[in-house]
Amino acid sequence: MSFMTRDRALALATLGLVAILAVEARDIPGPSRWQTYGSDFLPKVLLWTLGGLAVILLVRSFLAGFRTQPEVGPDLWAFVRTNPRILGLLTLFGVYVWALPQLGFRVATVGWLMLAFWLLTGFRSWRTVLICAAVAVIAPLLVYALFQYGLRLRLP
């Protein structure tokens, strides 16, 4: 039996995510004179709850009745082999998040949408390319106009 069962992998991944989010949540303002609990109250409650449930899952995976779970490795590799587009989109989204502050919302979003559409559709015809290009250009410009002029919020 392998050490890395499904429950243990999920619990450890969740704890890792909670740790990253807890570090990022330190910058959320706390209580003030006019706000009893502060803006950080609900995110911290959710992180503590999620972290506690992940610890319970991790402990439970070592109990006698739950040790017979299959290992996560074969399932993970089967998922990678059968769903390369999903992994490609996740990687592409990571690149988009990195490029957003460097290139700005409009350029980064148009580029990300075009690459995502190419990955999903394969651009099998010129009609598909034109429709995807129209959506990839018009949608970010509409979102930008809505935030900039309608809501008066600046996007990067």
mmCIF file of all heavy atoms in Angstrom, residues 77-114:
data_model
loop_
_atom_site.group_PDB
_atom_site.id
_atom_site.type_symbol
_atom_site.label_atom_id
_atom_site.label_comp_id
_atom_site.label_asym_id
_atom_site.label_seq_id
_atom_site.Cartn_x
_atom_site.Cartn_y
_atom_site.Cartn_z
ATOM 1 N N TRP A 77 -2.118 9.985 -13.032
ATOM 2 C CA TRP A 77 -1.518 9.822 -14.351
ATOM 3 C C TRP A 77 -2.560 9.522 -15.414
ATOM 4 O O TRP A 77 -2.439 9.972 -16.550
ATOM 5 C CB TRP A 77 -0.430 8.758 -14.337
ATOM 6 C CG TRP A 77 0.734 9.190 -13.504
ATOM 7 C CD1 TRP A 77 1.217 8.564 -12.405
ATOM 8 C CD2 TRP A 77 1.517 10.372 -13.672
ATOM 9 N NE1 TRP A 77 2.268 9.274 -11.877
ATOM 10 C CE2 TRP A 77 2.476 10.397 -12.640
ATOM 11 C CE3 TRP A 77 1.516 11.415 -14.584
ATOM 12 C CZ2 TRP A 77 3.416 11.402 -12.501
ATOM 13 C CZ3 TRP A 77 2.452 12.429 -14.438
ATOM 14 C CH2 TRP A 77 3.379 12.412 -13.416
ATOM 15 N N ALA A 78 -3.605 8.783 -15.048
ATOM 16 C CA ALA A 78 -4.690 8.529 -16.004
ATOM 17 C C ALA A 78 -5.404 9.832 -16.354
ATOM 18 O O ALA A 78 -5.753 10.071 -17.507
ATOM 19 C CB ALA A 78 -5.668 7.511 -15.435
ATOM 20 N N PHE A 79 -5.598 10.704 -15.363
ATOM 21 C CA PHE A 79 -6.231 11.992 -15.614
ATOM 22 C C PHE A 79 -5.362 12.850 -16.524
ATOM 23 O O PHE A 79 -5.859 13.489 -17.452
ATOM 24 C CB PHE A 79 -6.480 12.722 -14.287
ATOM 25 C CG PHE A 79 -7.081 14.084 -14.466
ATOM 26 C CD1 PHE A 79 -8.441 14.223 -14.683
ATOM 27 C CD2 PHE A 79 -6.289 15.218 -14.446
ATOM 28 C CE1 PHE A 79 -8.993 15.478 -14.861
ATOM 29 C CE2 PHE A 79 -6.832 16.471 -14.629
ATOM 30 C CZ PHE A 79 -8.196 16.601 -14.843
ATOM 31 N N VAL A 80 -4.059 12.861 -16.272
ATOM 32 C CA VAL A 80 -3.140 13.648 -17.100
ATOM 33 C C VAL A 80 -3.156 13.161 -18.547
ATOM 34 O O VAL A 80 -3.171 13.955 -19.486
ATOM 35 C CB VAL A 80 -1.710 13.594 -16.516
ATOM 36 C CG1 VAL A 80 -0.691 14.159 -17.488
ATOM 37 C CG2 VAL A 80 -1.659 14.343 -15.201
ATOM 38 N N ARG A 81 -3.169 11.840 -18.733
ATOM 39 C CA ARG A 81 -3.169 11.291 -20.090
ATOM 40 C C ARG A 81 -4.480 11.558 -20.826
ATOM 41 O O ARG A 81 -4.478 11.786 -22.031
ATOM 42 C CB ARG A 81 -2.920 9.782 -20.043
ATOM 43 C CG ARG A 81 -1.472 9.406 -19.873
ATOM 44 C CD ARG A 81 -1.246 7.927 -20.140
ATOM 45 N NE ARG A 81 -2.146 7.064 -19.405
ATOM 46 C CZ ARG A 81 -1.948 6.611 -18.157
ATOM 47 N NH1 ARG A 81 -0.873 6.963 -17.511
ATOM 48 N NH2 ARG A 81 -2.825 5.822 -17.575
ATOM 49 N N THR A 82 -5.604 11.508 -20.126
ATOM 50 C CA THR A 82 -6.892 11.641 -20.804
ATOM 51 C C THR A 82 -7.397 13.083 -20.897
ATOM 52 O O THR A 82 -8.312 13.349 -21.654
ATOM 53 C CB THR A 82 -7.970 10.787 -20.105
ATOM 54 O OG1 THR A 82 -8.070 11.186 -18.736
ATOM 55 C CG2 THR A 82 -7.637 9.326 -20.204
ATOM 56 N N ASN A 83 -6.803 14.019 -20.138
ATOM 57 C CA ASN A 83 -7.290 15.399 -20.132
ATOM 58 C C ASN A 83 -6.163 16.416 -20.325
ATOM 59 O O ASN A 83 -5.984 17.311 -19.505
ATOM 60 C CB ASN A 83 -8.015 15.693 -18.812
ATOM 61 C CG ASN A 83 -9.190 14.799 -18.603
ATOM 62 O OD1 ASN A 83 -10.120 14.794 -19.389
ATOM 63 N ND2 ASN A 83 -9.157 14.012 -17.544
ATOM 64 N N PRO A 84 -5.425 16.327 -21.403
ATOM 65 C CA PRO A 84 -4.319 17.282 -21.570
ATOM 66 C C PRO A 84 -4.803 18.720 -21.777
ATOM 67 O O PRO A 84 -4.092 19.662 -21.424
ATOM 68 C CB PRO A 84 -3.576 16.769 -22.800
ATOM 69 C CG PRO A 84 -4.592 15.993 -23.566
ATOM 70 C CD PRO A 84 -5.503 15.400 -22.528
ATOM 71 N N ARG A 85 -5.995 18.888 -22.304
ATOM 72 C CA ARG A 85 -6.494 20.250 -22.523
ATOM 73 C C ARG A 85 -6.762 20.967 -21.208
ATOM 74 O O ARG A 85 -6.530 22.169 -21.099
ATOM 75 C CB ARG A 85 -7.770 20.219 -23.362
ATOM 76 C CG ARG A 85 -7.518 19.874 -24.797
ATOM 77 C CD ARG A 85 -8.790 19.917 -25.576
ATOM 78 N NE ARG A 85 -8.540 19.590 -26.956
ATOM 79 C CZ ARG A 85 -9.477 19.510 -27.858
ATOM 80 N NH1 ARG A 85 -10.736 19.730 -27.532
ATOM 81 N NH2 ARG A 85 -9.168 19.208 -29.100
ATOM 82 N N ILE A 86 -7.272 20.246 -20.223
ATOM 83 C CA ILE A 86 -7.532 20.858 -18.922
ATOM 84 C C ILE A 86 -6.230 21.333 -18.299
ATOM 85 O O ILE A 86 -6.136 22.454 -17.793
ATOM 86 C CB ILE A 86 -8.274 19.875 -18.001
ATOM 87 C CG1 ILE A 86 -9.682 19.620 -18.531
ATOM 88 C CG2 ILE A 86 -8.333 20.405 -16.574
ATOM 89 C CD1 ILE A 86 -10.442 18.558 -17.793
ATOM 90 N N LEU A 87 -5.218 20.490 -18.350
ATOM 91 C CA LEU A 87 -3.924 20.884 -17.801
ATOM 92 C C LEU A 87 -3.321 22.041 -18.594
ATOM 93 O O LEU A 87 -2.695 22.937 -18.026
ATOM 94 C CB LEU A 87 -2.982 19.690 -17.785
ATOM 95 C CG LEU A 87 -3.433 18.543 -16.883
ATOM 96 C CD1 LEU A 87 -2.530 17.349 -17.047
ATOM 97 C CD2 LEU A 87 -3.492 18.983 -15.447
ATOM 98 N N GLY A 88 -3.517 22.032 -19.902
ATOM 99 C CA GLY A 88 -3.055 23.145 -20.722
ATOM 100 C C GLY A 88 -3.748 24.446 -20.362
ATOM 101 O O GLY A 88 -3.112 25.501 -20.290
ATOM 102 N N LEU A 89 -5.056 24.377 -20.129
ATOM 103 C CA LEU A 89 -5.796 25.586 -19.738
ATOM 104 C C LEU A 89 -5.351 26.093 -18.372
ATOM 105 O O LEU A 89 -5.250 27.305 -18.158
ATOM 106 C CB LEU A 89 -7.300 25.310 -19.724
ATOM 107 C CG LEU A 89 -7.989 25.326 -21.077
ATOM 108 C CD1 LEU A 89 -9.451 24.934 -20.938
ATOM 109 C CD2 LEU A 89 -7.878 26.690 -21.725
ATOM 110 N N LEU A 90 -5.094 25.193 -17.433
ATOM 111 C CA LEU A 90 -4.618 25.618 -16.123
ATOM 112 C C LEU A 90 -3.245 26.283 -16.231
ATOM 113 O O LEU A 90 -2.991 27.310 -15.595
ATOM 114 C CB LEU A 90 -4.564 24.431 -15.164
ATOM 115 C CG LEU A 90 -5.914 23.887 -14.706
ATOM 116 C CD1 LEU A 90 -5.731 22.622 -13.897
ATOM 117 C CD2 LEU A 90 -6.681 24.926 -13.912
ATOM 118 N N THR A 91 -2.373 25.718 -17.040
ATOM 119 C CA THR A 91 -1.059 26.314 -17.254
ATOM 120 C C THR A 91 -1.194 27.667 -17.943
ATOM 121 O O THR A 91 -0.547 28.650 -17.552
ATOM 122 C CB THR A 91 -0.183 25.381 -18.104
ATOM 123 O OG1 THR A 91 -0.105 24.115 -17.453
ATOM 124 C CG2 THR A 91 1.201 25.956 -18.317
ATOM 125 N N LEU A 92 -2.052 27.720 -18.943
ATOM 126 C CA LEU A 92 -2.282 28.973 -19.654
ATOM 127 C C LEU A 92 -2.863 30.037 -18.723
ATOM 128 O O LEU A 92 -2.508 31.216 -18.813
ATOM 129 C CB LEU A 92 -3.220 28.723 -20.838
ATOM 130 C CG LEU A 92 -3.406 29.825 -21.848
ATOM 131 C CD1 LEU A 92 -2.075 30.201 -22.476
ATOM 132 C CD2 LEU A 92 -4.378 29.387 -22.919
ATOM 133 N N PHE A 93 -3.724 29.641 -17.812
ATOM 134 C CA PHE A 93 -4.298 30.592 -16.856
ATOM 135 C C PHE A 93 -3.209 31.118 -15.914
ATOM 136 O O PHE A 93 -3.213 32.294 -15.561
ATOM 137 C CB PHE A 93 -5.432 29.954 -16.055
ATOM 138 C CG PHE A 93 -6.105 30.925 -15.132
ATOM 139 C CD1 PHE A 93 -6.928 31.919 -15.634
ATOM 140 C CD2 PHE A 93 -5.895 30.847 -13.770
ATOM 141 C CE1 PHE A 93 -7.537 32.825 -14.785
ATOM 142 C CE2 PHE A 93 -6.498 31.748 -12.913
ATOM 143 C CZ PHE A 93 -7.321 32.740 -13.413
ATOM 144 N N GLY A 94 -2.286 30.254 -15.509
ATOM 145 C CA GLY A 94 -1.170 30.714 -14.685
ATOM 146 C C GLY A 94 -0.326 31.754 -15.415
ATOM 147 O O GLY A 94 0.086 32.758 -14.825
ATOM 148 N N VAL A 95 -0.082 31.531 -16.694
ATOM 149 C CA VAL A 95 0.658 32.502 -17.503
ATOM 150 C C VAL A 95 -0.143 33.805 -17.616
ATOM 151 O O VAL A 95 0.414 34.903 -17.546
ATOM 152 C CB VAL A 95 0.979 31.922 -18.894
ATOM 153 C CG1 VAL A 95 1.562 32.977 -19.822
ATOM 154 C CG2 VAL A 95 1.924 30.741 -18.759
ATOM 155 N N TYR A 96 -1.451 33.695 -17.750
ATOM 156 C CA TYR A 96 -2.318 34.877 -17.833
ATOM 157 C C TYR A 96 -2.248 35.699 -16.542
ATOM 158 O O TYR A 96 -2.131 36.924 -16.582
ATOM 159 C CB TYR A 96 -3.755 34.443 -18.119
ATOM 160 C CG TYR A 96 -4.779 35.539 -17.979
ATOM 161 C CD1 TYR A 96 -4.833 36.598 -18.870
ATOM 162 C CD2 TYR A 96 -5.722 35.511 -16.954
ATOM 163 C CE1 TYR A 96 -5.778 37.600 -18.750
ATOM 164 C CE2 TYR A 96 -6.664 36.500 -16.820
ATOM 165 C CZ TYR A 96 -6.690 37.541 -17.718
ATOM 166 O OH TYR A 96 -7.618 38.534 -17.593
ATOM 167 N N VAL A 97 -2.300 35.028 -15.405
ATOM 168 C CA VAL A 97 -2.218 35.739 -14.123
ATOM 169 C C VAL A 97 -0.873 36.454 -14.000
ATOM 170 O O VAL A 97 -0.798 37.572 -13.498
ATOM 171 C CB VAL A 97 -2.448 34.761 -12.946
ATOM 172 C CG1 VAL A 97 -2.106 35.385 -11.615
ATOM 173 C CG2 VAL A 97 -3.894 34.276 -12.946
ATOM 174 N N TRP A 98 0.197 35.805 -14.468
ATOM 175 C CA TRP A 98 1.510 36.442 -14.444
ATOM 176 C C TRP A 98 1.555 37.632 -15.409
ATOM 177 O O TRP A 98 2.139 38.672 -15.088
ATOM 178 C CB TRP A 98 2.596 35.425 -14.808
ATOM 179 C CG TRP A 98 3.919 36.066 -14.992
ATOM 180 C CD1 TRP A 98 4.813 36.405 -14.018
ATOM 181 C CD2 TRP A 98 4.488 36.490 -16.226
ATOM 182 N NE1 TRP A 98 5.906 37.007 -14.578
ATOM 183 C CE2 TRP A 98 5.738 37.071 -15.933
ATOM 184 C CE3 TRP A 98 4.069 36.437 -17.554
ATOM 185 C CZ2 TRP A 98 6.558 37.591 -16.919
ATOM 186 C CZ3 TRP A 98 4.898 36.950 -18.527
ATOM 187 C CH2 TRP A 98 6.121 37.514 -18.215
ATOM 188 N N ALA A 99 0.959 37.504 -16.585
ATOM 189 C CA ALA A 99 1.049 38.535 -17.622
ATOM 190 C C ALA A 99 0.110 39.714 -17.364
ATOM 191 O O ALA A 99 0.334 40.797 -17.913
ATOM 192 C CB ALA A 99 0.726 37.932 -18.989
ATOM 193 N N LEU A 100 -0.898 39.528 -16.569
ATOM 194 C CA LEU A 100 -1.890 40.588 -16.353
ATOM 195 C C LEU A 100 -1.273 41.887 -15.855
ATOM 196 O O LEU A 100 -1.534 42.949 -16.440
ATOM 197 C CB LEU A 100 -2.974 40.079 -15.396
ATOM 198 C CG LEU A 100 -4.261 40.863 -15.298
ATOM 199 C CD1 LEU A 100 -4.933 40.981 -16.652
ATOM 200 C CD2 LEU A 100 -5.203 40.193 -14.329
ATOM 201 N N PRO A 101 -0.434 41.893 -14.821
ATOM 202 C CA PRO A 101 0.153 43.178 -14.406
ATOM 203 C C PRO A 101 1.170 43.735 -15.407
ATOM 204 O O PRO A 101 1.342 44.949 -15.497
ATOM 205 C CB PRO A 101 0.847 42.863 -13.075
ATOM 206 C CG PRO A 101 0.521 41.479 -12.723
ATOM 207 C CD PRO A 101 -0.118 40.821 -13.890
ATOM 208 N N GLN A 102 1.831 42.849 -16.156
ATOM 209 C CA GLN A 102 2.848 43.318 -17.094
ATOM 210 C C GLN A 102 2.230 43.925 -18.356
ATOM 211 O O GLN A 102 2.688 44.945 -18.849
ATOM 212 C CB GLN A 102 3.785 42.167 -17.514
ATOM 213 C CG GLN A 102 4.928 41.921 -16.584
ATOM 214 C CD GLN A 102 4.510 41.172 -15.329
ATOM 215 O OE1 GLN A 102 3.386 40.763 -15.173
ATOM 216 N NE2 GLN A 102 5.442 41.024 -14.421
ATOM 217 N N LEU A 103 1.213 43.277 -18.900
ATOM 218 C CA LEU A 103 0.651 43.700 -20.181
ATOM 219 C C LEU A 103 -0.624 44.525 -20.052
ATOM 220 O O LEU A 103 -1.048 45.160 -21.009
ATOM 221 C CB LEU A 103 0.361 42.468 -21.050
ATOM 222 C CG LEU A 103 1.544 41.567 -21.356
ATOM 223 C CD1 LEU A 103 1.093 40.331 -22.114
ATOM 224 C CD2 LEU A 103 2.596 42.335 -22.138
ATOM 225 N N GLY A 104 -1.276 44.485 -18.934
ATOM 226 C CA GLY A 104 -2.546 45.166 -18.762
ATOM 227 C C GLY A 104 -3.710 44.235 -19.059
ATOM 228 O O GLY A 104 -3.555 43.190 -19.710
ATOM 229 N N PHE A 105 -4.883 44.615 -18.599
ATOM 230 C CA PHE A 105 -6.063 43.763 -18.710
ATOM 231 C C PHE A 105 -6.432 43.465 -20.158
ATOM 232 O O PHE A 105 -6.661 42.314 -20.525
ATOM 233 C CB PHE A 105 -7.252 44.420 -17.993
ATOM 234 C CG PHE A 105 -8.545 43.671 -18.172
ATOM 235 C CD1 PHE A 105 -8.797 42.538 -17.436
ATOM 236 C CD2 PHE A 105 -9.494 44.095 -19.097
ATOM 237 C CE1 PHE A 105 -9.973 41.825 -17.610
ATOM 238 C CE2 PHE A 105 -10.666 43.399 -19.272
ATOM 239 C CZ PHE A 105 -10.908 42.270 -18.532
ATOM 240 N N ARG A 106 -6.503 44.502 -20.982
ATOM 241 C CA ARG A 106 -6.991 44.301 -22.345
ATOM 242 C C ARG A 106 -6.081 43.385 -23.168
ATOM 243 O O ARG A 106 -6.541 42.420 -23.773
ATOM 244 C CB ARG A 106 -7.176 45.646 -23.046
ATOM 245 C CG ARG A 106 -8.330 46.450 -22.439
ATOM 246 C CD ARG A 106 -8.383 47.825 -22.982
ATOM 247 N NE ARG A 106 -7.261 48.571 -22.380
ATOM 248 C CZ ARG A 106 -7.068 49.848 -22.523
ATOM 249 N NH1 ARG A 106 -7.862 50.556 -23.273
ATOM 250 N NH2 ARG A 106 -6.057 50.448 -21.933
ATOM 251 N N VAL A 107 -4.802 43.661 -23.185
ATOM 252 C CA VAL A 107 -3.873 42.870 -24.004
ATOM 253 C C VAL A 107 -3.766 41.441 -23.472
ATOM 254 O O VAL A 107 -3.835 40.471 -24.236
ATOM 255 C CB VAL A 107 -2.485 43.548 -24.049
ATOM 256 C CG1 VAL A 107 -1.480 42.680 -24.757
ATOM 257 C CG2 VAL A 107 -2.584 44.912 -24.711
ATOM 258 N N ALA A 108 -3.597 41.299 -22.157
ATOM 259 C CA ALA A 108 -3.440 39.965 -21.573
ATOM 260 C C ALA A 108 -4.703 39.128 -21.760
ATOM 261 O O ALA A 108 -4.621 37.928 -22.068
ATOM 262 C CB ALA A 108 -3.099 40.079 -20.088
ATOM 263 N N THR A 109 -5.865 39.726 -21.613
ATOM 264 C CA THR A 109 -7.111 38.980 -21.730
ATOM 265 C C THR A 109 -7.387 38.571 -23.172
ATOM 266 O O THR A 109 -7.818 37.443 -23.429
ATOM 267 C CB THR A 109 -8.292 39.792 -21.158
ATOM 268 O OG1 THR A 109 -7.983 40.153 -19.809
ATOM 269 C CG2 THR A 109 -9.570 38.990 -21.171
ATOM 270 N N VAL A 110 -7.136 39.457 -24.118
ATOM 271 C CA VAL A 110 -7.322 39.098 -25.533
ATOM 272 C C VAL A 110 -6.381 37.951 -25.903
ATOM 273 O O VAL A 110 -6.793 36.966 -26.532
ATOM 274 C CB VAL A 110 -7.105 40.321 -26.452
ATOM 275 C CG1 VAL A 110 -7.013 39.899 -27.908
ATOM 276 C CG2 VAL A 110 -8.224 41.334 -26.270
ATOM 277 N N GLY A 111 -5.130 38.056 -25.505
ATOM 278 C CA GLY A 111 -4.176 36.982 -25.790
ATOM 279 C C GLY A 111 -4.560 35.669 -25.128
ATOM 280 O O GLY A 111 -4.505 34.602 -25.747
ATOM 281 N N TRP A 112 -4.972 35.739 -23.859
ATOM 282 C CA TRP A 112 -5.365 34.524 -23.142
ATOM 283 C C TRP A 112 -6.591 33.876 -23.793
ATOM 284 O O TRP A 112 -6.629 32.660 -23.971
ATOM 285 C CB TRP A 112 -5.650 34.843 -21.678
ATOM 286 C CG TRP A 112 -6.112 33.651 -20.917
ATOM 287 C CD1 TRP A 112 -5.367 32.584 -20.533
ATOM 288 C CD2 TRP A 112 -7.446 33.372 -20.487
ATOM 289 N NE1 TRP A 112 -6.150 31.671 -19.864
ATOM 290 C CE2 TRP A 112 -7.417 32.129 -19.819
ATOM 291 C CE3 TRP A 112 -8.650 34.063 -20.581
ATOM 292 C CZ2 TRP A 112 -8.560 31.561 -19.262
ATOM 293 C CZ3 TRP A 112 -9.777 33.497 -20.008
ATOM 294 C CH2 TRP A 112 -9.728 32.263 -19.370
ATOM 295 N N LEU A 113 -7.572 34.679 -24.147
ATOM 296 C CA LEU A 113 -8.770 34.122 -24.773
ATOM 297 C C LEU A 113 -8.455 33.479 -26.119
ATOM 298 O O LEU A 113 -8.958 32.395 -26.429
ATOM 299 C CB LEU A 113 -9.845 35.200 -24.932
ATOM 300 C CG LEU A 113 -10.607 35.570 -23.660
ATOM 301 C CD1 LEU A 113 -11.535 36.743 -23.928
ATOM 302 C CD2 LEU A 113 -11.394 34.379 -23.140
ATOM 303 N N MET A 114 -7.630 34.123 -26.919
ATOM 304 C CA MET A 114 -7.289 33.534 -28.221
ATOM 305 C C MET A 114 -6.561 32.209 -28.055
ATOM 306 O O MET A 114 -6.862 31.224 -28.746
ATOM 307 C CB MET A 114 -6.443 34.498 -29.051
ATOM 308 C CG MET A 114 -7.240 35.599 -29.716
ATOM 309 S SD MET A 114 -8.569 35.003 -30.777
ATOM 310 C CE MET A 114 -7.664 34.232 -32.091
#
